[in-house]
Amino acid sequence: MEMELPELKFDGEGLIPAIVQDHENGEVLMLAYMDREALRRTLSSGRTWFWSRSRREYWCKGETSGHRQYVRRIRYDCDGDALLVEVLQVGPACHTGKRSCFFNEIRGARTDLSPESQ
Amino acid sequence: MEMELPELKFDGEGLIPAIVQDHENGEVLMLAYMDREALRRTLSSGRTWFWSRSRREYWCKGETSGHRQYVRRIRYDCDGDALLVEVLQVGPACHTGKRSCFFNEIRGARTDLSPESQ
């Protein structure tokens, strides 16, 4: 399938960060990187493809684990340098078995401010 | 305020991507970059600070526009190379006036797959 990609800005390594979000409940599941080819495969296959910076190879999420991501919508930001991929997530997104990769919290942040307090 | 940061992985430029999410409805608002100092300022001030790669300077979100972000929770992912910052967002997060920076959609993606179809 040929497709015109919007004017996206890939970085010096040809990559763009892709935020993956559960399309049902809005939970942010993970962040990974795509290049043009990974994005092309994602668009045409309907499943998420990424470029692994450490392994230097393409990977299709869930191909071995079965924890697949089926694309529901892909958006890009105002600068064209980040993607937001909404998916139907099968099972956990994280290799640790957690639903989301973002399960660790930084403690000690100030969280008591509001518009009224400033 | 002194604070032990978890073992985060900053990239070759000393940066880590920070996804900013509306803590009330889960909407992904923007993606920007922090270095250690921007994260330190974010944690201690309770408002989001980033490093602008284009302007080569720190910026506090909403400092000039008034569209501030008050930190509610900060998490990091299993690899320690991405942040998820939940905020109370005042007004629009995007400089265009949109609530979220992710208002453009990539058309033509395959979105009809489901676990049952494979």
Side-chain angles (χ1 to χ4, degrees), chain B residues 13-32:
Chain B
E13 297 177 88
L15 301 176
I16 189 168
I19 303 161
V20 182
Q21 183 180 34
D22 188 313
H23 87 110
E24 288 179 334
N25 63 16
E27 185 176 14
V28 174
L29 300 170
M30 54 184 278
L31 183 142

Side-chain angles (χ1 to χ4, degrees), chain A residues 21-71:
Chain A
Q21 184 180 34
D22 188 314
H23 88 110
E24 287 179 335
N25 63 15
E27 185 176 14
V28 174
L29 299 171
M30 55 183 277
L31 184 142
Y33 293 84
M34 294 184 184
D35 63 3
R36 285 189 185 278
E37 172 61 17
L39 177 56
R40 191 195 63 73
R41 294 187 190 190
T42 298
L43 291 167
S44 63
S45 73
R47 292 180 49 196
T48 51
W49 280 84
F50 304 102
W51 173 256
S52 169
R53 298 177 300 171
S54 55
R55 298 193 308 272
R56 311 288 305 167
E57 65 181 18
Y58 294 103
W59 57 289
C60 181
K61 174 69 183 168
E63 191 58 33
T64 52
S65 67
H67 300 146
R68 298 173 172 187
Q69 295 175 335
Y70 298 100
V71 175

